[in-house]
Amino acid sequence: MLHRLRHDFHLSIITLLGACAVFGISPFAVYRYAIGDLVAGLIDTAVVLFITAMVSYAWYSGNTARAGLVLSVFNTIGGFFAGSVLGDSGVFWLYVTFLSNFLLTRADIAAIINVLAIAATSLYGSAFSSVPHMVSFVVTSACVSLFAFIFAYRAEIHRRQFEKLATHDPLTGAGNRRTLNQELRIAVATARRTNIEHGLIMLDLDRFKQVNDEYGHDAGDRVLVDLTALIEQAIRDSDRLFRFGGEEFVLLLPGVDLLGLQKAAENLRRKIAAQLRSPGGPVTASLGIALLRPDETWEAWLQRADAALYRAKNGGRNRTIVDGIEPAAATTCGIS
């Protein structure tokens, strides 16, 4: 539970709202029951139960976007009626609602909800004691919403940037080692649940150290960037590319059999040999491939692809080796 709260900001905000509803509104409901105001007590109880239900939905479904949107609309409607019924004192609750909307849902949606709420509240004259009071509300609430929108928008940009830094290689933009491990776990679980085959291609550039040594690391980095672009143009949208380390990359291909995996790897090897260049000339790659076996762990699967790559490097480079097939046999299969 604590792990999810630490790593899911949206869920933590929804949970905090639920806690505020339970501990903030429940005492009012008890008080209203105690003084005999049954209708108000029932309304407070319904509000607490609804918010609690949406928090529970967010926890069990994981759909925090939907739960946040519903809570945002619900809280805004509640704030509108509070202002309409209680007058001046009730209007102040709308400011809290306007700010919380930008935490519960997307900034653009929150802005639309706030604009509609401001318009509805200002048009419903009984919420204000005078026209200047209404104008002050419109101006101040619009300023609050504008500042909150700017903050939420910039925060979302920064969140996406941090997320990309945490999951992608900064040089090539390919997924990093951490993301690879997560995706392999998901692939294994998906294969067991659906029986969809998955393949791995592990790729390593041949004699790449010479490029760095002779022409510098800037030239080597340029080759890696060009390699990434070449691979992304050659693969399907459903395939995933990761930088394993150095000049070594991993491709995850869902929905392929062994023959399809072989063809994809060999096509990629030929494209690299024909198109990838360094200051010293063409650059080639060695590839090892492995198809996921039933009940196999992702670690064992990755290790088999790595072992096939090792054999490709030792077998002369610029070739594709299938796990379990020796180089001589691989040539017979059309893999060289």
Side-chain angles (χ1 to χ4, degrees):
M1 178 182 292
L2 292 178
H3 176 79
R4 288 186 66 183
L5 289 176
R6 284 197 300 265
H7 292 84
D8 192 332
F9 174 76
H10 207 186
L11 180 62
S12 65
I13 290 297
I14 292 174
T15 303
L16 178 61
L17 177 64
C20 290
V22 172
F23 296 107
I25 302 177
S26 296
F28 285 97
V30 173
Y31 171 74
R32 296 185 199 282
Y33 286 132
I35 64 175
D37 192 350
L38 183 61
V39 175
L42 289 174
I43 292 175
D44 288 340
T45 301
V47 170
V48 171
L49 291 177
F50 180 81
I51 294 177
T52 302
M54 292 310 303
V55 173
S56 300
Y57 170 80
W59 272 92
Y60 287 106
S61 71
N63 193 339
T64 56
R66 178 178 297 175
L69 175 60
V70 172
L71 285 172
S72 178
V73 173
F74 179 80
N75 292 342
T76 304
I77 293 174
F80 167 75
F81 281 110
S84 301
V85 174
L86 300 177
D88 292 352
S89 61
V91 168
F92 289 110
W93 285 103
L94 277 168
Y95 291 100
V96 178
T97 300
F98 292 155
L99 289 174
S100 66
N101 285 345
F102 287 97
L103 297 175
L104 289 171
T105 189
R106 280 179 12 211
D108 55 342
I109 296 177
I112 293 173
I113 293 173
N114 286 7
V115 168
L116 293 176
I118 293 170
T121 306
S122 59
L123 291 174
Y124 192 78
S126 64
F128 306 101
S129 58
S130 64
V131 173
H133 183 199
M134 181 191 69
V135 174
S136 296
F137 165 77
V138 172
V139 173
T140 55
S141 57
C143 289
V144 166
S145 297
L146 177 61
F147 293 146
F149 174 81
I150 294 172
F151 176 82
Y153 181 75
R154 290 184 61 84
E156 178 62 19
I157 292 176
H158 291 156
R159 186 193 66 79
R160 291 177 182 175
Q161 291 174 340
F162 289 140
E163 184 178 84
K164 186 172 183 179
L165 288 173
T167 59
H168 290 75
D169 172 56
L171 174 65
T172 63
N176 60 17
R177 182 73 174 269
R178 174 186 176 186
T179 308
L180 169 64
N181 295 347
Q182 293 174 345
E183 291 291 335
L184 290 183
R185 291 189 185 96
I186 295 172
V188 169
T190 301
R192 290 174 180 172
R193 186 176 65 253
T194 63
N195 291 322
I196 295 176
E197 293 185 298
H198 288 69
L200 274 185
I201 300 175
M202 185 166 280
L203 176 154
D204 186 85
L205 293 180
D206 298 327
R207 299 183 175 88
F208 183 73
K209 186 176 182 299
Q210 295 180 4
V211 176
N212 284 328
D213 291 344
E214 294 180 15
Y215 303 102
H217 287 280
D218 287 343
D221 289 348
R222 184 69 256 169
V223 172
L224 294 177
V225 172
D226 291 343
L227 170 67
T228 303
L230 189 155
I231 294 175
E232 289 178 341
Q233 291 174 2
I235 61 179
R236 305 169 302 174
D237 291 339
S238 58
D239 300 335
R240 297 294 308 277
L241 174 65
F242 310 91
R243 187 180 180 188
F244 193 68
E247 68 274 18
E248 198 168 358
F249 291 78
V250 175
L251 265 168
L252 172 61
L253 290 78
V256 294
D257 57 15
L258 183 58
L259 181 59
L261 185 60
Q262 290 175 324
K263 289 182 177 179
E266 186 61 8
N267 177 62
L268 185 59
R269 183 191 66 80
R270 289 172 178 162
K271 281 182 177 293
I272 292 172
Q275 301 178 26
L276 190 62
R277 294 289 184 272
S278 76
V283 179
T284 61
S286 300
L287 294 82
I289 64 177
L291 197 68
L292 178 63
R293 294 171 178 170
D295 299 322
E296 184 177 30
T297 65
W298 68 268
E299 294 95 340
W301 182 26
L302 184 63
Q303 187 176 12
R304 288 194 298 112
D306 188 46
L309 172 61
Y310 182 78
R311 292 202 301 273
K313 300 290 283 188
N314 288 344
R317 298 182 176 86
N318 191 23
R319 63 184 60 215
T320 302
I321 297 296
V322 184
D323 171 67
I325 302 179
E326 294 304 318
T331 304
T332 305
C333 296
I335 309 297
S336 60

